[in-house]
Amino acid sequence: MTQKIPTRIYLNEDEMPRYWYNLRADMKEKPDPILHPGTLKPVVNADMEPIFCKEAVKQELDDNTKLIPIPEGIQNFYRAYRPAALIRAYYLEKELGTPAEIYYKFEGTNTSGSHKLNSAGPQTFYAKEEGLKSLTTETGAGQWGTALAMACAFYGLDLTVYMVKVSSEQKPYRKAVMETYGAKVIPSPSNTTESGRKILAADPNTGGSLGCAISEAVEAAIKTDKCRYVLGSVLNHVLLHQSVIGLETKIALDKYNIKPDIIIGCAGGGSNVGGLIAPFMGEKLAGKSNTRFIAVEPASCPSFTRGRYAYDFADTAQTTPLLRMYTLGCGFIPSANHAGGLRYHGMSPILSKLYHDGHLEARSEIQTDVFAAAIRFMKTEGILPAPESSHAIKAAIDEALECKKTGEKKVILFGLSGTGYFDLSAYMSYNAKTLSDQVPTDEDLQKGFASIPNIPQNK
Amino acid sequence: MTQKIPTRIYLNEDEMPRYWYNLRADMKEKPDPILHPGTLKPVVNADMEPIFCKEAVKQELDDNTKLIPIPEGIQNFYRAYRPAALIRAYYLEKELGTPAEIYYKFEGTNTSGSHKLNSAGPQTFYAKEEGLKSLTTETGAGQWGTALAMACAFYGLDLTVYMVKVSSEQKPYRKAVMETYGAKVIPSPSNTTESGRKILAADPNTGGSLGCAISEAVEAAIKTDKCRYVLGSVLNHVLLHQSVIGLETKIALDKYNIKPDIIIGCAGGGSNVGGLIAPFMGEKLAGKSNTRFIAVEPASCPSFTRGRYAYDFADTAQTTPLLRMYTLGCGFIPSANHAGGLRYHGMSPILSKLYHDGHLEARSEIQTDVFAAAIRFMKTEGILPAPESSHAIKAAIDEALECKKTGEKKVILFGLSGTGYFDLSAYMSYNAKTLSDQVPTDEDLQKGFASIPNIPQNK
């Protein structure tokens, strides 16, 4: 191939995807069904509609429709910040001296700073269409809360964000940007909900967790008229929306006839890597490619690599439906020394199933290695990456250096899911060498596993 | 015209400019020459080369070469983050209900968060080519310092940044990002230079100013082997590099046969608006268009609208060559209540001449109006703008609302020079209604004017 590949490939507006891709439709082995926590039977739409928007529930439970049209009202929202660039990492390749070709899909140029906007828009659009007035959600590192605040400002809905307390203290500017978009931000656990009061009673000094904040947000949504809860990762409909990342990437690569050998994404709840890999995994499951897929998670919250594949709650207060997923237990809280997101105890059921069946690899990385990779990347490619995204950078560099050893000219694609503008205190700690690498002990894990519900499906 | 204009227009890599455009070559009335502060005669290259890189000096003093090739090594740097998107503000137009078409060139998607990288790259490239080992500079709000830190990491030069002290205290994360790129950041005034010690002796509690920081950076460059000073605005060669903004914009508009009626940019030292308007102003000066050009400055630092057109120093310590420009006096320091950049006492000599000759309009805005416009913009267009850039937003909205009154379907183009990720404390103050609008009194101005040198050229 002699065609020169540009540093940045942008799709034209008329090349942008008109459909989301529902990977489940192409999985012969489907993820296990979501269970009602009371009856332990598969949930039906009516079970979930008091919590989520109807359309989100419909998408959540649809394992069969392969292509789901993106409504014009959402395409219009996407046009406000998409297409995202697919970037050839020429500078990084040169610095590494690797024969590999490295590409990354950069989702961080919107103000929320990450891919999260891709699902915040659709979920808010549906809420508006269904006549709702307000939404609630949780946020940890703040990317999801910011994205949703932007979407709610765009569509004109009120928003309450329960923000993990330790994060709201470490990131006052995250709070400020959400508030500037008009959202109400409540540090969680708070005394505004029963779940919050219970958690505070048990530990008044807790810094909170995503699981706690979810409990509060769900409770607040149920108790408020014309209000629903929205979640930024883990769930099937979120991965569906995020398939726009992979679809755009595939259209761009296909234009230049580039076939990735390895696709890498960071994994917290799985929405970013799940969205990126979706159409490529569909090809692999159909026997049309041999692409390797690698999910990279923090060693301090290793749900894939050290978790159990079991039915578990999505939240700490154990109020949500049960998801079969790789989980550290809904009571697991990662060490406070862990900087950045990817702190969720569980993992997308779709990705969990793919991992369980051997279609997806996973690895974990300690955070000082991740920051070192981030700085290597930013000094060559220019972009200040989010600590989350830097897990993917670390693995991409490792794979490229492996190619240097073997002389293989592999094509490596990774997801650069977001920027690190709000993570500079973590970079400062790394620079000052005060960032440590505590990973959970086996005892820590056992404590977490004890919170996984003891139900027949888990025997 | 029935062709649908996309929300975002990106150039392909092969459409990107290969030349900078030197507007001075097309100005029949040239800006007045730079004077040597000792002899009061026009400077020659040898006068400036102890301070600046040779190529920068050559470009600075070249009033005649219209197109200056962008070396491949700089085109390679530009490809790391350009092209910048030209965005049709469909959402803002709709919210305003204006018949006007609004476009903006968005320079904020690189990590430095602004257009400053367009000159940081070239200046660092030339320094490297000329065998230098290190650079010094000053930074106020931090955009220029960050851009230069990125460029120095890219090309492998050491960098010392003198950062206005009040700004380094308000923006610890700006300092962190520069340091993460490997730069040394010194709050100014400091005791590391004679100029700094003098300024501190006169006022130990001063928060500093750009003019002070320039004095320190120039002194440090002169006293260090294989080191030069670089400046991020005001000077001719900086505006030359920034012409890439206007050139890309014009190529994109020409593809769709769009002719702007009004072009608006914010003005501190003038590099952003000067770069944006350059090729369009060239057409106007040649009698080929009737475009209006508007520079928007803060009411708290109103060099165009309340300054004098006179020869003045570029720095507070009065060590630099003399520039004929609109100036508030090199001793002027804007009120500490002013948030964000655009704090420089003077203005680009090129723009000053154009303004003086009636080719360019100027207006000033108070900061609470600017933040109100910023928030209106970010809620519709999604992007969190820099306070600096929001001056242009304010004027663009005003012009669009004027069109709404008159029913005119004008084409308005403005420069969105950067993002506000590092300005959230200012947004927080605005949200909390603690931001005030102190503008200089006539007495304040007189005090500033007293620092303008009393030389025959100023009679």
Side-chain angles (χ1 to χ4, degrees):
Chain A
M1 195 174 65
T2 54
Q3 189 176 12
K4 161 89 172 122
I5 295 165
T7 309
R8 300 182 158 234
I9 307 173
Y10 286 104
L11 301 184
N12 296 321
E13 208 160 80
D14 55 13
E15 295 171 315
M16 285 169 66
R18 300 280 180 268
Y19 293 83
W20 289 303
Y21 171 61
N22 185 5
L23 176 60
R24 284 166 290 164
D26 284 335
M27 290 168 72
K28 277 163 214 148
E29 301 279 319
K30 308 287 181 197
D32 290 292
I34 302 172
L35 300 184
H36 188 288
T39 65
L40 299 184
K41 295 217 169 117
V43 293
V44 294
N45 297 43
D47 295 328
M48 295 185 78
E49 287 174 356
I51 306 177
F52 294 99
C53 298
K54 281 182 189 166
E55 187 63 29
V57 172
K58 191 177 148 201
Q59 293 174 351
E60 185 64 25
L61 300 180
D62 181 349
D63 281 355
N64 297 305
T65 311
K66 183 167 167 170
L67 296 176
I68 295 180
I70 306 175
E72 171 53 31
I74 296 172
Q75 289 189 39
N76 183 40
F77 181 81
Y78 280 169
R79 284 193 293 268
Y81 67 100
R82 304 196 71 81
L86 177 70
I87 303 177
R88 172 76 181 268
Y90 281 117
Y91 312 99
L92 181 63
E93 287 172 20
K94 193 176 164 197
E95 198 262 320
L96 297 175
T98 177
E101 289 180 16
I102 308 175
Y103 296 85
Y104 54 99
K105 180 72 167 173
F106 182 31
E107 291 286 329
T109 53
N110 71 75
T111 286
S112 75
S114 84
H115 70 292
K116 295 283 189 183
L117 206 52
N118 302 331
S119 185
Q123 294 198 56
T124 308
F125 171 83
Y126 292 129
K128 181 84 179 179
E129 290 278 293
E130 292 171 23
L132 302 176
K133 298 293 176 210
S134 64
L135 293 173
T136 69
T137 199
E138 78 296 329
T139 200
Q143 295 180 332
W144 169 246
T146 310
L148 200 62
M150 288 176 69
C152 285
F154 189 89
Y155 289 113
L157 287 182
D158 289 337
L159 172 66
T160 303
V161 179
Y162 291 86
M163 184 171 190
V164 175
K165 192 193 278 174
V166 60
S167 181
S168 77
E169 286 161 2
Q170 284 168 356
K171 300 188 175 187
Y173 293 165
R174 269 287 178 204
K175 188 163 174 278
V177 69
M178 288 185 263
E179 288 174 345
T180 305
Y181 275 112
K184 184 174 172 188
V185 181
I186 300 176
S188 166
S190 74
N191 56 19
T192 67
T193 65
E194 270 179 44
S195 326
R197 287 190 289 272
K198 234 182 249 176
I199 295 163
L200 281 174
D203 179 4
N205 296 319
T206 178
S209 74
L210 268 183
C212 300
I214 293 175
S215 298
E216 293 209 276
V218 170
E219 181 186 330
I222 292 172
K223 289 181 175 169
T224 307
D225 190 40
K226 297 206 175 183
C227 180
R228 289 293 183 284
Y229 165 72
V230 288
L231 184 70
S233 190
V234 183
L235 297 179
N236 300 333
H237 67 280
V238 180
L239 266 75
L240 175 72
H241 304 152
Q242 295 296 354
S243 70
V244 73
I245 305 172
L247 291 165
E248 271 189 12
T249 304
K250 195 163 184 317
I251 294 166
L253 289 176
D254 285 349
K255 281 170 79 164
Y256 293 89
N257 198 27
I258 302 160
K259 305 283 174 204
D261 297 302
I262 307 173
I263 304 181
I264 299 166
C266 64
S271 74
N272 158 62
V273 64
L276 174 67
I277 69 174
F280 301 95
M281 180 63 84
E283 284 198 337
K284 184 180 189 177
L285 294 179
K288 291 182 196 159
S289 88
N290 286 313
T291 306
R292 283 173 58 203
F293 300 92
I294 307 173
V296 192
E297 60 186 11
S300 55
C301 194
S303 46
F304 268 138
T305 52
R306 297 176 72 195
R308 288 199 182 152
Y309 190 45
Y311 271 105
D312 196 5
F313 293 98
D315 72 328
T316 306
Q318 309 202 332
T319 61
T320 66
L322 295 163
L323 307 174
R324 187 155 186 226
M325 58 184 175
Y326 279 85
T327 178
L328 298 163
C330 59
F332 180 83
I333 295 183
S335 162
N337 85 313
H338 173 68
L342 311 182
R343 312 169 147 267
Y344 190 62
H345 65 274
M347 183 56 67
S348 147
I350 296 174
L351 296 184
S352 293
K353 178 68 179 163
L354 291 168
Y355 178 64
H356 196 66
D357 291 351
H359 303 300
L360 171 68
E361 302 167 40
R363 65 179 68 163
S364 72
E365 300 287 354
I366 57 172
Q367 65 181 351
T368 51
D369 286 351
V370 167
F371 276 92
I375 288 173
R376 191 166 188 177
F377 175 82
M378 71 187 273
K379 285 190 174 174
T380 49
E381 290 290 315
I383 300 166
L384 174 73
E388 294 84 347
S389 321
S390 303
H391 288 74
I393 294 173
K394 169 68 170 68
I397 289 177
D398 286 348
E399 292 296 326
L401 291 176
E402 187 58 31
C403 287
K404 188 176 178 176
K405 273 191 211 156
T406 63
E408 286 174 289
K409 197 178 147 61
K410 286 188 184 166
V411 175
I412 300 168
L413 165 69
F414 73 89
L416 187 68
S417 56
T419 52
Y421 290 109
F422 294 99
D423 300 287
L424 281 161
S425 61
Y427 277 93
M428 288 163 84
S429 304
Y430 175 77
N431 291 338
K433 301 193 194 312
T434 60
L435 215 57
S436 64
D437 284 314
Q438 282 157 35
V439 300
T441 62
D442 288 338
E443 204 176 40
D444 293 334
L445 291 184
Q446 290 308 323
K447 266 196 336 213
F449 293 151
S451 64
I452 297 175
N454 185 13
I455 58 174
Q457 285 80 354
N458 279 344
K459 300 300 172 200
Chain B
M1 196 176 61
T2 55
Q3 189 177 14
K4 162 88 172 120
I5 295 167
T7 308
R8 295 178 163 238
I9 307 173
Y10 285 103
L11 301 185
N12 296 322
E13 210 160 79
D14 55 12
E15 295 170 316
M16 285 168 67
R18 299 279 179 269
Y19 293 83
W20 290 303
Y21 171 61
N22 184 5
L23 176 60
R24 284 166 290 162
D26 284 336
M27 290 169 71
K28 275 164 221 150
E29 301 279 322
K30 309 285 181 199
D32 289 292
I34 302 171
L35 299 185
H36 188 287
T39 65
L40 299 184
K41 297 215 166 118
V43 293
V44 294
N45 297 45
D47 295 328
M48 296 184 79
E49 286 175 357
I51 306 178
F52 295 99
C53 297
K54 282 182 188 166
E55 187 63 29
V57 172
K58 191 179 151 201
Q59 293 173 352
E60 185 66 25
L61 300 181
D62 182 348
D63 281 356
N64 298 305
T65 311
K66 183 167 167 170
L67 296 176
I68 294 180
I70 306 175
E72 171 54 30
I74 296 172
Q75 289 188 38
N76 182 39
F77 181 82
Y78 281 169
R79 283 193 293 269
Y81 67 100
R82 305 197 70 81
L86 178 70
I87 304 178
R88 172 76 183 266
Y90 281 117
Y91 312 99
L92 181 62
E93 288 172 20
K94 193 176 164 196
E95 199 262 320
L96 297 174
T98 177
E101 287 181 17
I102 308 175
Y103 296 86
Y104 55 100
K105 180 72 166 173
F106 181 32
E107 292 285 330
T109 53
N110 70 75
T111 286
S112 76
S114 84
H115 70 291
K116 295 283 188 183
L117 206 52
N118 302 331
S119 186
Q123 293 196 57
T124 308
F125 171 82
Y126 292 129
K128 179 85 178 174
E129 291 279 295
E130 293 171 23
L132 302 176
K133 296 295 177 206
S134 64
L135 294 173
T136 69
T137 198
E138 78 296 330
T139 199
Q143 294 179 333
W144 169 246
T146 310
L148 200 61
M150 288 176 68
C152 284
F154 189 88
Y155 289 112
L157 286 182
D158 289 337
L159 172 66
T160 304
V161 179
Y162 291 86
M163 184 171 189
V164 177
K165 191 193 277 173
V166 59
S167 182
S168 77
E169 287 160 2
Q170 284 168 357
K171 300 189 173 185
Y173 293 165
R174 269 287 178 204
K175 190 163 171 280
V177 69
M178 287 185 265
E179 288 175 344
T180 304
Y181 274 112
K184 184 173 172 188
V185 181
I186 299 176
S188 166
S190 74
N191 56 20
T192 67
T193 65
E194 269 179 45
S195 325
R197 288 189 289 272
K198 232 183 250 176
I199 295 163
L200 281 174
D203 179 4
N205 297 317
T206 177
S209 74
L210 269 183
C212 302
I214 293 175
S215 299
E216 293 208 277
V218 170
E219 181 186 330
I222 292 171
K223 290 183 176 168
T224 307
D225 189 41
K226 297 205 175 185
C227 178
R228 290 292 183 284
Y229 165 73
V230 289
L231 184 70
S233 190
V234 183
L235 296 179
N236 299 335
H237 66 280
V238 181
L239 267 75
L240 175 73
H241 304 153
Q242 295 296 353
S243 71
V244 71
I245 305 172
L247 291 165
E248 271 190 11
T249 304
K250 193 159 185 318
I251 294 166
L253 289 176
D254 285 349
K255 280 170 80 163
Y256 292 90
N257 198 28
I258 301 160
K259 305 282 175 204
D261 297 300
I262 308 174
I263 304 181
I264 300 166
C266 63
S271 74
N272 158 61
V273 65
L276 175 68
I277 69 174
F280 301 97
M281 180 63 83
E283 285 199 337
K284 184 180 189 178
L285 295 179
K288 292 182 192 160
S289 87
N290 286 312
T291 306
R292 282 174 58 203
F293 300 92
I294 307 173
V296 191
E297 62 185 11
S300 55
C301 194
S303 46
F304 267 138
T305 52
R306 297 177 70 196
R308 288 200 183 150
Y309 189 45
Y311 271 104
D312 197 5
F313 293 98
D315 72 327
T316 306
Q318 309 201 333
T319 63
T320 67
L322 295 163
L323 307 173
R324 187 157 186 223
M325 57 183 177
Y326 279 85
T327 179
L328 298 163
C330 59
F332 181 83
I333 296 184
S335 161
N337 84 313
H338 173 68
L342 311 182
R343 310 168 149 267
Y344 189 62
H345 66 272
M347 183 57 67
S348 148
I350 297 174
L351 297 183
S352 293
K353 178 68 178 162
L354 291 168
Y355 178 64
H356 196 66
D357 291 351
H359 302 301
L360 171 68
E361 302 168 40
R363 65 179 69 162
S364 73
E365 299 288 352
I366 57 172
Q367 64 180 351
T368 51
D369 286 351
V370 167
F371 276 92
I375 288 173
R376 191 167 188 178
F377 175 82
M378 71 187 273
K379 286 191 174 175
T380 49
E381 291 290 317
I383 299 165
L384 174 73
E388 294 84 348
S389 321
S390 303
H391 288 74
I393 295 173
K394 169 68 168 66
I397 289 176
D398 286 350
E399 292 297 325
L401 291 176
E402 187 59 31
C403 288
K404 188 176 179 177
K405 272 191 210 152
T406 62
E408 285 174 289
K409 195 176 149 57
K410 286 189 185 164
V411 175
I412 300 167
L413 165 68
F414 72 90
L416 187 67
S417 55
T419 53
Y421 289 110
F422 294 98
D423 301 287
L424 280 160
S425 62
Y427 277 93
M428 286 164 83
S429 303
Y430 176 78
N431 290 338
K433 299 191 197 313
T434 59
L435 215 58
S436 64
D437 284 314
Q438 282 159 34
V439 299
T441 62
D442 287 337
E443 205 176 42
D444 294 333
L445 292 184
Q446 289 310 323
K447 268 201 322 217
F449 293 151
S451 64
I452 296 175
N454 185 14
I455 58 174
Q457 286 80 351
N458 279 343
K459 300 299 170 201

